[in-house]
Amino acid sequence: MEPFSYDEYSSEIPELPSGKLLRLVLLSNWGDDTYVGLNAVEIFKDDGKRPDVAKISSNATHSIGDVESIFVESFTCTDQGKMWRAELQTDRPLIVEITFTDTIRIAMLRFWNYSESRVHAQMGVRNLRAELDDIIVFEGEVDCAFADHESEPMGETVLFTVDESILEAIAENDVCLIPDFVQSPTLDVTEFALGLTPQRPVTRETSTSTHVNERPISATLPDIEDDDTSGKVKILHLELCENWGAPGSIGLCGLELLGQKQNVIDSTTLIITTSTQSDAQRLLNGKNLTRSPDDMWLIPFDPKQHPTITINFQKPTTLSGISFWNYNASPEMSYAGVRLLHIFINGRLAASNVLLRKAPGFVFFDFVQDISIERPPNIRPLMRPNTRSIYGFIFQLQLLSSWGDEFYIGLNGVELYDTRGEKINVGPQNLAAFPESVNILPSVENDPRTSMNLINGCNDTEKAELMWLTPMLPNRCARVFFVFDVPIAVSAVVIYNYRKTPARGVRHISVSADDLIVYSGDVPASSAEKTGILEIDFREM
């Protein structure tokens, strides 16, 4: 099925659309090659009640289960016999039509995706368009039933009103009453993608300073003059030696080659081939920040037979580095990403046992890793320091709850310390946050409380413009990432809580190094007079 594009279909969600025929166009699924399906569809009218349905039909040529089952309250069902799925059709999208007995005004839709199991959840619909009497009322992505790999299947809610009396009427008839993603009638694409709640109180700080958008993760590479002494590359050869542990497969999401002064070399001037039959062009398609397997490169892997990637240049070219995006289809499949590789230039070994970082399995930040040709990160024996510490590429803080605020959460700052007790120099290229800050909200612009304030060194402060604040999203926790191109040792983490409005400070926090949780606990609340500080000393654990 063709992937959905917001550029091709872009419209606002209307206010209380009316009609008699609801058509659901299932544009793509979450990766299964054969089927697409749904558990259930909930519909609420402007009086808060569910409509009477005269007929439910589908254009599927072959299906498993009764399509009418999607209108039965089997929301989290895992019984294949009580769910509906249909074979994909190459020439047309699958369509489900729901005809009501009378013309109605729709106030809310909720989609429950296919959830037979984590594996079969890939049959669930991904991109969907809803049409009411041939007018598009919704188009977008429906979460996979096990999208966050941490919770039970959940419904995806679309609101067509923010009228409180209608929402209260719906609540009286809603058997779920769980906080789902909510899309409001005036949602733009950015807010739509994040699923923000529609009635968030406005927060704003003013600042005259401007911030430059920087690449979230990018090592600093030296300027290389385009002369004969730096050498020119005609053929680049990558030998893939080891993955991160997935049995039988190895892959990458994408590549970019960096030329003089780190400029990206035009991929149309390159010819890429591999030692196995595969679509190697996916590595240069530019779709690097994705979880779609269709945009990545994955092949069978035998550790005894190293596959190779060969890139030919149209003419000898200066090569200063390579940007890698490792395989990222899911947290589980990220272990198929490349761990070790050799780099050959013009047939000669330029770097051996180059260590690549495992992708996170999600797209909360740009997980690119820039490898310098002159100074690649090599694997070497791990020297254990006398003091205990935690080694890792990615250190993640999950902000699980606040001290009372329902809409915002924030911090004054974060510090990392090495094995000698010295503060680690963290630059903008090492930091990412999701959501980045309150500036993602449509009602906020140029608020100074950006994620860069987490590393500005002004941590024990009462000045709001030096702090970081971000919205709390439904069913998601805010996250802060410290990302490095080589594994580093961290002996301590110091967290300074948000002080301007103490209720917006972090309460429960989880700290992980790569995929391992190394700490979970509460951050002391700040007050108007004092910043709450949590010191996590791994040397004492």
Side-chain angles (χ1 to χ4, degrees):
M1 302 177 74
E2 289 297 320
F4 179 88
S5 169
Y6 279 114
D7 295 331
E8 182 179 356
Y9 305 102
S10 59
S11 65
E12 292 185 345
I13 298 176
E15 178 82 14
L16 293 174
S18 63
K20 191 173 183 179
L21 174 63
L22 177 64
R23 181 180 296 112
L24 305 179
V25 184
L26 313 186
L27 297 167
S28 67
N29 65 14
W30 279 97
D32 191 87
D33 294 330
T34 308
Y35 292 98
V36 63
L38 274 172
N39 264 23
V41 178
E42 290 186 274
I43 305 170
F44 291 88
K45 301 184 295 181
D46 58 345
D47 61 0
K49 298 180 180 179
R50 300 171 189 268
D52 294 325
V53 174
K55 180 183 178 182
I56 302 178
S57 61
S58 168
N59 69 340
T61 56
H62 178 69
S63 62
I64 298 176
D66 188 349
V67 69
E68 293 185 356
S69 67
I70 68 171
F71 215 65
V72 179
E73 294 180 2
S74 57
F75 308 139
T76 59
C77 173
T78 58
D79 184 351
Q80 180 188 118
K82 297 180 180 179
M83 295 184 287
W84 175 81
R85 58 177 172 169
E87 283 188 359
L88 298 173
Q89 300 174 151
T90 57
D91 57 339
R92 56 179 177 169
L94 281 164
I95 295 175
V96 176
E97 291 188 344
I98 302 173
T99 304
F100 307 111
T101 55
D102 300 297
T103 297
I104 66 168
R105 292 203 302 172
I106 297 180
M108 189 180 91
L109 292 175
R110 181 182 290 137
F111 302 102
W112 294 85
N113 226 335
Y114 197 86
S115 59
E116 180 184 345
S117 68
R118 286 185 182 271
V119 174
H120 292 91
Q122 293 184 349
M123 298 178 185
V125 62
R126 180 171 185 174
N127 295 306
L128 178 147
R129 183 167 72 246
E131 303 171 359
L132 188 60
D133 286 355
D134 296 322
I135 297 176
I136 297 175
V137 296
F138 169 79
E139 53 199 17
E141 186 173 283
V142 179
D143 265 4
C144 184
F146 297 89
D148 60 0
H149 299 268
E150 298 171 353
S151 61
E152 292 298 316
M154 305 187 73
E156 181 88 1
T157 300
V158 183
L159 280 181
F160 296 96
T161 181
V162 291
D163 186 296
E164 290 187 3
S165 61
I166 296 178
L167 296 179
E168 289 175 0
I170 291 174
E172 293 178 1
N173 298 281
D174 188 355
V175 298
C176 300
L177 292 177
I178 59 175
D180 292 308
F181 283 125
V182 178
Q183 280 91 36
S184 73
T186 58
L187 224 50
D188 63 17
V189 171
T190 302
E191 188 178 0
F192 174 81
L194 295 174
L196 303 180
T197 50
Q199 296 179 322
R200 183 182 303 276
V202 174
T203 182
R204 183 176 290 109
E205 292 290 332
T206 58
S207 172
T208 57
S209 63
T210 58
H211 298 275
V212 178
N213 290 329
E214 300 194 39
R215 207 173 185 182
I217 312 166
S218 177
T220 301
L221 300 177
D223 289 344
I224 300 177
E225 296 298 327
D226 190 9
D227 57 26
D228 292 337
T229 60
S230 62
K232 301 293 182 67
V233 180
K234 298 179 181 178
I235 299 177
L236 175 67
H237 183 82
L238 305 177
E239 181 180 336
L240 312 184
C241 306
E242 186 179 315
N243 68 10
W244 277 95
S249 59
I250 195 169
L252 289 166
C253 187
L255 298 171
E256 283 183 353
L257 305 185
L258 306 178
Q260 185 181 13
K261 297 183 179 180
Q262 302 182 59
N263 294 323
V264 177
I265 297 173
D266 185 358
S267 62
T268 62
T269 66
L270 307 173
I271 300 174
I272 185 168
T273 58
T274 64
S275 59
T276 61
Q277 290 186 349
S278 61
D279 186 4
Q281 200 60 39
R282 291 183 179 184
L283 291 168
L284 301 177
N285 64 11
K287 299 177 181 179
N288 300 321
L289 292 180
T290 180
R291 290 180 59 196
S292 171
D294 293 338
D295 294 325
M296 304 182 203
W297 178 75
L298 186 70
I299 60 171
F301 178 58
D302 181 354
K304 298 179 181 179
Q305 297 178 350
H306 297 170
T308 57
I309 300 170
T310 301
I311 300 176
N312 288 271
F313 296 74
Q314 282 187 353
K315 61 180 181 179
T317 304
T318 297
L319 182 67
S320 62
I322 308 172
S323 296
F324 289 92
W325 287 263
N326 225 332
Y327 196 78
N328 193 56
S330 68
E332 291 86 355
M333 284 304 298
S334 66
Y335 286 86
V338 177
R339 183 172 183 265
L340 290 179
L341 58 82
H342 301 324
I343 300 176
F344 295 82
I345 292 178
N346 299 335
R348 296 183 178 181
L349 181 64
S352 62
N353 292 320
V354 177
L355 181 62
L356 295 191
R357 184 177 62 234
K358 187 176 73 67
F362 45 72
V363 192
F364 291 148
F365 61 93
D366 189 347
F367 51 92
V368 63
Q369 182 180 5
D370 290 341
I371 301 298
S372 169
I373 295 298
E374 290 190 346
R375 297 190 302 274
N378 300 102
I379 190 170
R380 52 186 179 271
L382 188 63
M383 300 300 294
R384 289 289 180 185
N386 294 328
T387 55
R388 297 186 64 181
S389 58
I390 303 296
Y391 274 81
F393 281 103
I394 301 175
F395 294 83
Q396 179 184 173
L397 310 183
Q398 292 193 36
L399 316 186
L400 303 175
S401 65
S402 71
W403 277 101
D405 196 281
E406 299 179 6
F407 297 97
Y408 298 97
I409 196 166
L411 290 169
N412 271 21
V414 181
E415 295 173 344
L416 307 181
Y417 289 85
D418 62 19
T419 57
R420 295 174 294 182
E422 297 178 356
K423 188 166 71 171
I424 296 172
N425 183 22
V426 177
Q429 73 276 9
N430 303 118
L431 177 69
F434 179 86
E436 192 281 323
S437 70
V438 292
N439 286 296
I440 70 165
L441 298 173
S443 59
V444 180
E445 185 176 356
N446 294 327
D447 192 293
R449 292 171 292 180
T450 66
S451 60
M452 289 299 106
N453 287 346
L454 290 168
I455 57 173
N456 63 9
C458 303
N459 299 322
D460 191 1
T461 179
E462 59 184 11
K463 296 181 179 179
E465 64 270 21
L466 300 178
M467 306 175 191
W468 171 68
L469 190 68
T470 194
M472 297 174 69
L473 307 185
N475 303 323
R476 291 290 189 273
C477 63
R479 304 168 188 242
V480 177
F481 302 91
F482 296 93
V483 187
F484 302 92
D485 284 341
V486 296
I488 67 164
V490 174
S491 63
V493 178
V494 181
I495 299 169
Y496 298 81
N497 220 340
Y498 192 76
R499 184 165 165 182
K500 182 195 176 187
T501 310
R504 293 177 175 176
V506 178
R507 181 171 184 174
H508 188 203
I509 195 168
S510 172
V511 181
S512 61
D514 294 333
D515 293 330
L516 177 66
I517 296 177
V518 295
Y519 178 85
S520 180
D522 284 357
V523 183
S526 295
S527 64
E529 298 78 23
K530 183 180 179 181
T531 303
I533 301 175
L534 172 65
E535 297 184 10
I536 306 171
D537 194 338
F538 299 121
R539 294 168 294 190
E540 298 177 356
M541 293 183 178

